[in-house]
C-alpha cells in the first residue's frame, strides 16, 4: 500500500464486480475466517490463498469503520456496472436541456450515494445532514453542467461540427467541478466534527478537523482524475470510429460501440484514480491540533481517507 502499483493491485481487488455476487453466508464465512486468523484459531488446512480471498471479499463489501455491509450499487465494486450506463447517457450527442439535466442529476445522485457510503464513518452522521449535502451536491452539479451547455449552444461563431465536438467534451469540466462539490457537501460533517486518528497500535488518539480536510482534499482530487479518461477518451475514440465505413453503414452500432468504449475507459479510470492515495492515509502528528500532538508519542498517525 506504500507504492502506487501496490495500491493499484489492491484496488483491482476492491472493484472486482464478481464480489457483487457473494452471498450473505459466504461473506459471514470470510469474516469468520479472518477472525480465526487474528486470534490464532484457524482450522487446519486453510491456505494463504483462501485467506487473501476472504480479505478481498470483506474489504469489497464491508465498511472499515462501521463494519456494516455497503449497499450493492454504492460499493466500489458496483461503481462501474451501475455507473457505465450513466456515462453513456452523459456522452450522448445532441442533448436537449431536459436530457442534460436528467443525466447530470442521475450521475450526481449516484456519486452522492457512493461518496456517503464510502466516507469516513468514525462519527455518526444524521439523515438531515445527508439530505442537505445531497441537495447541495445535485443542484450545484446540474447548474454547472447546464450553464456550460447553454454557453456552448450560444457560441454561434463555431461551425456545427465544432460545436458538436465541444458539446461532447462539456461533461468533463461539468462533472469534475461538480464532483468536488459533491464530495465536500456529502462529507461536510467530517469538516465540522473531525475524524478519528489512530496511532501505530491502532488506538484512537483524538478527533482531528485538520485530518478531515486532508481526507476530503485527497478524495476530491481522485474525483477530478476519475472522469478524465471516462469523459475525454470516449469522445476522441468515437469521433474516429464514427468515420469508419463499418459505423457509417451501420449507424445502429454506434450506441453499443460507445457503451463498450465507456466501459473500458471506466474500468481503467477507477482503479487509477482511487490508487492515487492510500485509503489509510498517514500524517505527521506535529501538523495536527496541539491537543492531539500532546496525546501521543507517535510521530505519525493514520486515518481512514474514505473512498
Amino acid at each position: 500500500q506504500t507504492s502506487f502499483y501496490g495500491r493499484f493491485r489492491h484496488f483491482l481487488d476492491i472493484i472486482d464486480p464478481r464480489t457483487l455476487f457473494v452471498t450473505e453466508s459466504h461473506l459471514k464465512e470470510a469474516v469468520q475466517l479472518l477472525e480465526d486468523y487474528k486470534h490464532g484459531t484457524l482450522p487446519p488446512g486453510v491456505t494463504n490463498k483462501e485467506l487473501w480471498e476472504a480479505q478481498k471479499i470483506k474489504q469489497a463489501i464491508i465498511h472499515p469503520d462501521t463494519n456494516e455491509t455497503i449497499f450493492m450499487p454504492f460499493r466500489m465494486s458496483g461503481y462501474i456496472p451501475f455507473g457505465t450506463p450513466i456515462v453513456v447517457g452523459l456522452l450522448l450527442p445532441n442533448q436537449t436541456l431536459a436530457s442534460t439535466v436528467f443525466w447530470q442529476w442521475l450521475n450526481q445522485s449516484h456519486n452522492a450515494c457512493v461518496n456517503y457510503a464510502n466516507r469516513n464513518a468514525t462519527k455518526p452522521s444524521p439523515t438531515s445532514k445527508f439530505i442537505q449535502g445531497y441537495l447541495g451536491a445535485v443542484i450545484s452539479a446540474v447548474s454547472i453542467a447546464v450553464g456550460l451547455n447553454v454557453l456552448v449552444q450560444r457560441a454561434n461563431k463555431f461551425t456545427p461540427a465544432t460545436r458538436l465536438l465541444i458539446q461532447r467534451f462539456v461533461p468533463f469540466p461539468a462533472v469534475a467541478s461538480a464532483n468536488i462539490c459533491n464530495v465536500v457537501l456529502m462529507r461536510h460533517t467530517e469538516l465540522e466534527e473531525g475524524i478519528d486518528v489512530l496511532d501505530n497500535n491502532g488506538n484512537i488518539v483524538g478527533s482531528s478537523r485538520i485530518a478531515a480536510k486532508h481526507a476530503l482534499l485527497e478524495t476530491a482530487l481522485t474525483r477530478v482524475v476519475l472522469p478524465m479518461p471516462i469523459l475525454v477518451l470516449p469522445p476522441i475514440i468515437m469521433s474516429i470510429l464514427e468515420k469508419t465505413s463499418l459505423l457509417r453503414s451501420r449507424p445502429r452500432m454506434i450506441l453499443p460501440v460507445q457503451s463498450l468504449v465507456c466501459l473500458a475507459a471506466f474500468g481503467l479510470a477507477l482503479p487509477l484514480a482511487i490508487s492515487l492515495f492510500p485509503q489509510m492515509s498517514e500524517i505527521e502528528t506535529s501538523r495536527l491540533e496541539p491537543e492531539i500532538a500532546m496525546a501521543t508519542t507517535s510521530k505519525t498517525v493514520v486515518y481512514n481517507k474514505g473512498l
Side-chain angles (χ1 to χ4, degrees):
Q1 297 281 318
T2 54
S3 70
F4 176 82
Y5 179 63
R7 291 193 295 274
F8 181 74
R9 289 180 62 194
H10 164 70
F11 284 119
L12 282 177
D13 273 349
I14 299 294
I15 68 164
D16 186 344
R18 289 175 298 178
T19 59
L20 295 172
F21 303 103
V22 170
T23 61
E24 189 70 32
S25 59
H26 191 179
L27 174 62
K28 284 179 181 175
E29 285 171 17
V31 172
Q32 188 57 52
L33 201 62
L34 293 171
E35 284 298 311
D36 292 344
Y37 171 75
K38 193 187 292 183
H39 297 113
T41 56
L42 268 181
V46 175
T47 63
N48 269 347
K49 187 180 178 183
E50 287 174 310
L51 282 169
W52 279 112
E53 185 63 25
Q55 174 87 324
K56 170 181 175 174
I57 289 168
K58 183 184 176 184
Q59 289 181 330
I61 298 173
I62 291 179
H63 195 287
D65 295 331
T66 63
N67 286 321
E68 292 176 0
T69 302
I70 299 171
F71 185 46
M72 189 190 289
F74 309 142
R75 295 175 199 164
M76 279 296 157
S77 54
Y79 207 178
I80 295 171
F82 289 94
T84 300
I86 300 171
V87 172
V88 174
L90 282 169
L91 293 174
L92 289 173
N94 302 316
Q95 298 238 18
T96 62
L97 182 64
S99 66
T100 300
V101 170
F102 172 75
W103 287 113
Q104 286 291 344
W105 164 76
L106 198 60
N107 181 48
Q108 291 305 329
S109 294
H110 185 227
N111 283 348
C113 292
V114 170
N115 288 335
Y116 185 77
N118 295 279
R119 72 197 186 284
N120 177 299
T122 51
K123 296 282 187 296
S125 181
T127 309
S128 59
K129 293 275 187 184
F130 169 80
I131 294 167
Q132 285 173 16
Y134 169 76
L135 290 173
V138 171
I139 290 166
S140 62
V142 173
S143 302
I144 292 164
V146 171
L148 283 171
N149 266 329
V150 168
L151 279 175
V152 171
Q153 284 164 1
R154 289 186 177 176
N156 297 322
K157 62 181 179 180
F158 295 124
T159 64
T162 307
R163 197 180 305 154
L164 179 63
L165 191 65
I166 293 171
Q167 272 183 311
R168 278 185 154 171
F169 285 100
V170 159
F172 171 65
V175 169
S177 48
N179 280 357
I180 296 172
C181 296
N182 200 319
V183 169
V184 174
L185 289 165
M186 287 309 299
R187 294 177 55 180
H188 70 283
T189 310
E190 295 170 39
L191 292 173
E192 294 169 4
E193 299 181 10
I195 58 174
D196 288 350
V197 291
L198 308 131
D199 63 16
N200 299 331
N201 299 316
N203 301 314
I204 297 172
V205 176
S207 188
S208 171
R209 291 180 182 177
I210 295 170
K213 284 179 188 173
H214 281 267
L216 260 68
L217 177 63
E218 288 170 354
T219 308
L221 284 172
T222 67
R223 291 300 191 274
V224 173
V225 173
L226 177 60
M228 277 183 192
I230 303 170
L231 297 175
V232 172
L233 288 178
I236 294 170
I237 294 167
M238 287 308 296
S239 64
I240 296 166
L241 292 178
E242 282 169 12
K243 292 172 184 172
T244 62
S245 57
L246 177 70
L247 290 186
R248 275 184 171 177
S249 59
R250 297 175 182 83
R252 287 183 181 180
M253 290 284 291
I254 291 175
L255 190 58
V257 169
Q258 181 164 327
S259 301
L260 286 172
V261 170
C262 289
L263 182 64
F266 210 155
L268 169 73
L270 184 59
L272 284 175
I274 58 178
S275 301
L276 289 175
F277 305 99
Q279 184 168 0
M280 296 304 293
S281 286
E282 195 173 48
I283 188 168
E284 291 175 7
T285 318
S286 57
R287 296 172 64 188
L288 299 178
E289 292 85 346
E291 62 270 20
I292 293 175
M294 290 167 65
T296 181
T297 54
S298 296
K299 290 188 177 179
T300 60
V301 289
V302 295
Y303 57 89
N304 175 19
K305 169 185 72 69
L307 291 175

